[in-house]
Amino acid sequence: MRERDGTPPGHLDERTAVLMLHGRSVPVLAGFDLDFKSYSWADALAKVGYDVFMMDLQGSGLSPRPKMDDPRNVNPAQQNLLKPRPPGFTPGPPNYPFQLTNSNSDRDELNTVVEWIIRERGVKKVAFIGWSAAAFTMGPYAVKNPGKVSSLFLLAPIFPPEGTSNAPDPLPQPGFPTFLSTKDGTWNGWSNEVHCEGQREAEMRDKVWNAIMKSDPVGSTWGPEGEGRNRIRNFVRWGWNKTTAAQGGVLGSSVPVLIVYGEHDRQVNTSSEDPEFNFSVPALYNAIAGDHKLMVKLDCAGHSLVWEMQHKNVHNLSKHWLKHLKVDGKTQGIFDMNTNGDISPAP
């Protein structure tokens, strides 16, 4: 966990704690604290007085990655990416034939951090900011623990409205602990969502990858020299769907919710026949039972909008949200935001 404490001296009793959580494949520091120009979201919040915490779940970033140091525990279909081979590595079935973590362990880890922040920083609640698959952890946690969560800001949230509510049997689930991604694969996958002039800077290809590698001391030594491989934890998830999002009427009531996503994001709105991979941002907005809920769609933005031209507008939107819990003076509604940061009701 990293902290950027922006609480002004003499105002410790007014401290507002914010916890930021990563998605599936990008460690938290590369996503929220990129040391390049104005891209550090955490720094932007700290500079206006928030006490910002960023955490990596087990298997991601600088947190422990049990079983993931062994290249044999990489997805067998991706072991061809380990060229040249790491010392002593021979391709084959995983030595640990299970997925690494699951929804229960992720939420337990989140709870440990939340309780530490509340205890050590003397706050009553923590404001959540989560990107992408962080919704699987932060959403259900907020539903079950409204007394610990002051608000929920979900950026490009992954939400399967018909996903399963129940844990699979047995646990751990068979499989492997580690996926891999490459520098070109990451950049080119992002390219599929770039449709506007100036949507991203060419420099970001190196800046983002270098930041990911800085959070992966083992993966950075795999693959071609000087490039590395991004190790991505394989986890089992459940309990985030239209039923659980509405449970108890918590979300949108005692826990106000702001949902933000890019118009070109192909990962958050899909049409899969498999309900576990059929995602919808509007379905999440509709599933939230309370009235204090807002949704903003950003023009010229994809899933990786934290590294795109709209990043400053996202920072400003989150500052306003944390202070006022409103968008355009309202506590409910669906809006569009253009690249100038202007907000208007969605047609």
Side-chain angles (χ1 to χ4, degrees), residues 19-23 28 32 53-57 110 129-135 137-138:
L19 178 58
M20 310 182 88
L21 183 65
H22 60 88
V28 74
F32 292 125
F53 297 85
M54 295 160 277
M55 69 171 289
D56 276 312
L57 293 165
L110 178 63
I129 294 179
W131 180 20
S132 189
T137 306
M138 285 185 153

Side-chain angles (χ1 to χ4, degrees), residues 64-95:
R65 301 196 192 204
K67 309 298 182 181
M68 293 177 69
D69 290 354
D70 182 354
R72 274 288 288 268
N73 287 333
V74 168
N75 177 3
Q78 293 185 311
Q79 291 182 11
N80 63 303
L81 298 176
L82 295 172
K83 295 178 181 178
R85 292 182 181 178
F89 167 63
T90 301
N95 290 321

